[in-house]
Amino acid sequence: MKVEFAPLSVPLQRRLQTASVVQWIFSFLALAQCCTAAFIALFFTRFWLVSTLYAAWWLIDREKPSKGGRRIHILRNCIVWRYMRDYFPITLMKTAELDPRQNYLVGFHPHGVLAAGAFLNFCTEASGFSMLFPGITPHLMMLSLWFRIPFFRDYVMSGGLIPSDKESASYVLQKPGGGNLLAIIVGGAQEALDARPGSFTLLLKNRKGFVRLAIQHGTPLVPAFSFGENDVFDQVKNPKGSWLRRIQHQLQKIMGISLPLFHARGIFQYSFGLIPYRRPICTVVGKPIPVQKKHRPSEEEVDQVHQKYLNELSDLFEKHKAKYNVPEDSHLEFI
């Protein structure tokens, strides 16, 4: 006998969706600090052996993040990510097939405040990555700082996150047999300071390291633009030259992470809070740009491929912007 469950009511679905987003924001804003505090605090309790054993494991396992990480498929398929997907909602769209016999380097734009589209599309299966790109294993780069935090490092590795350094990137791109996708949020933390609704400014004009990396490994470049990524949070005005922007830049130099002063809605009210607005995000993955392998490319060769990448990214944006209510007179601005 087949047992059928009644569908959840709309109010309950919305509560679960909001709870999933709260959990995601908490995991990146507070969980890291909680993990550090717990690791240290356990040394002063009768459970000190837990931290001692983990410290030994951490030492043995210290190279794992830069060797492709350790994804856990159960966590990538967790239902909480589907609720998060439906909150905005977030979708993933492909415009070309990716050959599983090759490795790929995807440039993700824009960063947004918390890179919701990048995380959900590449670190979970909520948007159906494996069904859209069969035979491809995604990896998303994240600041190396987060992989130095006990317990938290294992949490972020479970989704396919790896440190944003050359060693980690090269390990993925040179894997034999192909079938690996390395996603880099090219604008990085600095670009987050310009993330606000209606902004299409990308920190990309002088970002060429990912292009050089692709040439050295002969890896096709794939542009990806996430429509709506900048629309889910408002940000305190911080024009270039302002005292707030100078402080944010200094903190970024010291800590390696930017601190955008963002706000949106609350949990039980819609006027103010840290919960993102319910606005759709759609990540559109473009077609691969073939790259000829060369161990030591010249600056001219890097510039040529970089310009081609900018052109392909612009074309991708112009071709799809009307579908996502972007004004006709809005265009990408590279700085």
Side-chain angles (χ1 to χ4, degrees), residues 203-256:
L203 187 61
L204 185 56
K205 191 175 182 179
N206 296 312
R207 295 279 173 113
K208 302 177 183 179
F210 73 106
V211 174
R212 184 179 299 277
L213 192 65
I215 296 174
Q216 289 173 342
H217 293 280
T219 306
L221 281 165
V222 183
F225 191 87
S226 196
F227 291 91
E229 194 75 48
N230 284 341
D231 297 338
V232 297
F233 288 105
D234 291 317
Q235 189 173 167
V236 175
K237 291 184 178 179
N238 58 343
K240 293 181 180 178
S242 65
W243 64 269
L244 176 58
R245 190 64 166 244
R246 288 196 294 269
I247 291 175
Q248 289 173 324
H249 276 308
Q250 288 301 318
L251 289 175
Q252 182 188 344
K253 290 179 181 178
I254 296 171
M255 300 186 298

Side-chain angles (χ1 to χ4, degrees), residues 74-248:
I74 293 177
L75 293 180
R76 282 180 58 89
N77 286 280
C78 184
I79 191 173
V80 69
W81 306 129
R82 296 200 291 274
Y83 283 122
M84 177 181 167
R85 172 200 65 195
D86 294 337
Y87 174 89
F88 293 95
I90 295 177
T91 54
L92 179 64
M93 174 184 172
K94 72 174 180 180
T95 61
E97 297 292 337
L98 298 185
D99 186 350
R101 294 171 297 181
Q102 281 192 308
N103 295 324
Y104 296 91
L105 195 160
V106 171
F108 182 92
H109 316 272
H111 183 287
V113 172
L114 294 178
F119 172 79
L120 192 125
N121 287 319
F122 297 115
C123 298
T124 80
E125 288 296 331
S127 57
F129 181 92
S130 294
M131 289 186 292
L132 279 174
F133 301 104
I136 303 292
T137 301
H139 303 265
L140 178 65
M141 302 201 83
M142 185 182 191
L143 283 174
S144 302
L145 167 70
W146 301 110
F147 295 88
R148 300 170 191 158
I149 300 174
F151 304 121
F152 187 75
R153 68 189 287 272
D154 300 282
Y155 168 69
V156 294
M157 277 197 295
S158 70
L161 286 155
I162 62 173
S164 56
D165 55 52
K166 187 175 181 179
E167 179 186 1
S168 302
S170 296
Y171 182 86
V172 173
L173 296 180
Q174 65 189 12
K175 272 190 172 182
N180 294 281
L181 181 150
L182 177 67
I184 301 177
I185 306 177
V186 182
Q190 188 175 343
E191 190 176 80
L193 300 178
D194 289 313
R196 49 179 46 85
S199 173
F200 301 104
T201 301
L202 302 181
L203 187 61
L204 185 56
K205 191 175 182 179
N206 296 312
R207 295 279 173 113
K208 302 177 183 179
F210 73 106
V211 174
R212 184 179 299 277
L213 192 65
I215 296 174
Q216 289 173 342
H217 293 280
T219 306
L221 281 165
V222 183
F225 191 87
S226 196
F227 291 91
E229 194 75 48
N230 284 341
D231 297 338
V232 297
F233 288 105
D234 291 317
Q235 189 173 167
V236 175
K237 291 184 178 179
N238 58 343
K240 293 181 180 178
S242 65
W243 64 269
L244 176 58
R245 190 64 166 244
R246 288 196 294 269
I247 291 175
Q248 289 173 324

